[in-house]
Amino acid sequence: MPAMPAMPAMPAMLTVLLWYLTFQTFLRWTAACPASQSFNDIWGCPSESLGPELLRDTAFASRNAWGSYLKDTGIASFSFTGNGVVVEPIADQDDTPWHVQLTQPIVLDQGGEDYAYYALCVQASSQEAGSLQFAVDADGALNFAVAGGGLRQQLRLRGNGDGDGSSAGCFQFRLGPSIYEYQGRVALDLGAFVERSEVCHVSLRRCAVRPAAAGLTPLRRCYLAAPEEA
């Protein structure tokens, strides 16, 4: 009867197991984000008219610049990597977007005697197809009214099965004219995800001219129809 092959020594097996678990943890918690991209093409603001970055920590190096909100304790976790933030849903069975949020307070100029044009742009990826929504809003003091009177931007993600799974989009808005500052927040609503996602990069900048790309909220006017002739 042939001899049974010798089993590896226990310390060697433990070493391999620990290496495997460490590697899997690394894959799970490291954001798989591509290099930061320019959002100018999406927004349509000429480079010479683009103002400075208005957000702190646009690549999510730490929690210092970003606040978080969970509707219920423990429904998601955040891992800040410096190349994006990993968002891991844990126990939330509800896909309401604002149940999981990352936020940052902002103060913006409203243009004085003219309008001020801004765009909040986001690049993100996910394991599975999904979406996130984002906007600038007035926080709870004004019932979270969206800046410029528009709707929150929806960003559809393809999932990692389709290339790197990353997508980018911009929330464009107009403030003013007003001599007073706009005080609000950037809000990234992440509660719709059911699998791990990565918010890779964010940017909030002002354009000195009206951007060429469509997306600014138009003025809404109502007209009465002319009476029909008898």
Side-chain angles (χ1 to χ4, degrees):
M1 183 176 182
M4 295 292 291
M7 294 293 290
M10 186 59 68
M13 293 180 64
L14 288 176
T15 299
V16 172
L17 179 59
L18 289 173
W19 176 88
Y20 175 78
L21 293 175
T22 302
F23 181 68
Q24 291 299 312
T25 301
F26 174 81
L27 290 178
R28 182 175 181 178
W29 291 110
T30 300
C33 288
S36 178
Q37 71 174 83
S38 170
F39 296 112
N40 287 35
D41 292 340
I42 302 174
W43 188 18
C45 181
S47 57
E48 65 272 14
S49 300
L50 196 62
E53 180 58 57
L54 299 173
L55 291 180
R56 296 176 292 131
D57 191 8
T58 60
F60 303 97
S62 73
R63 293 178 174 270
N64 293 339
W66 291 94
S68 60
Y69 170 79
L70 300 176
K71 181 178 181 295
D72 297 306
T73 302
I75 62 175
S77 66
F78 304 100
S79 179
F80 290 75
T81 71
N83 185 37
V85 57
V86 177
V87 184
E88 187 85 17
I90 297 175
D92 190 16
Q93 302 301 315
D94 190 330
D95 61 357
T96 304
W98 61 266
H99 283 187
V100 178
Q101 290 182 321
L102 286 171
T103 61
Q104 185 174 139
I106 53 167
V107 177
L108 301 176
D109 181 82
Q110 296 199 77
E113 296 182 355
D114 202 352
Y115 292 108
Y117 301 99
Y118 294 91
L120 169 67
C121 299
V122 175
Q123 183 182 20
S125 65
S126 63
Q127 287 185 337
E128 302 293 337
S131 66
L132 65 86
Q133 73 176 21
F134 58 97
V136 170
D137 69 32
D139 209 341
L142 293 175
N143 200 30
F144 306 101
V146 176
L151 300 175
R152 296 177 191 274
Q153 182 70 29
Q154 304 291 321
L155 179 61
R156 304 294 178 185
L157 304 180
R158 302 184 302 271
N160 288 338
D162 184 4
D164 63 14
S166 66
S167 301
C170 296
F171 167 73
Q172 303 175 48
F173 61 103
R174 183 181 69 184
L175 296 177
S178 175
I179 62 173
Y180 300 102
E181 292 180 325
Y182 176 92
Q183 298 190 32
R185 64 173 190 165
V186 166
L188 310 179
D189 297 338
L190 309 165
F193 288 113
V194 295
E195 297 289 343
R196 189 187 77 164
S197 60
E198 299 90 23
V199 182
C200 301
H201 308 284
V202 294
S203 178
L204 175 61
R205 303 179 78 171
R206 181 177 177 177
C207 191
V209 299
R210 182 183 176 91
L216 290 171
T217 304
L219 294 176
R220 295 181 176 131
R221 296 184 173 91
C222 297
Y223 299 92
L224 294 176
E228 295 182 1
E229 296 182 1

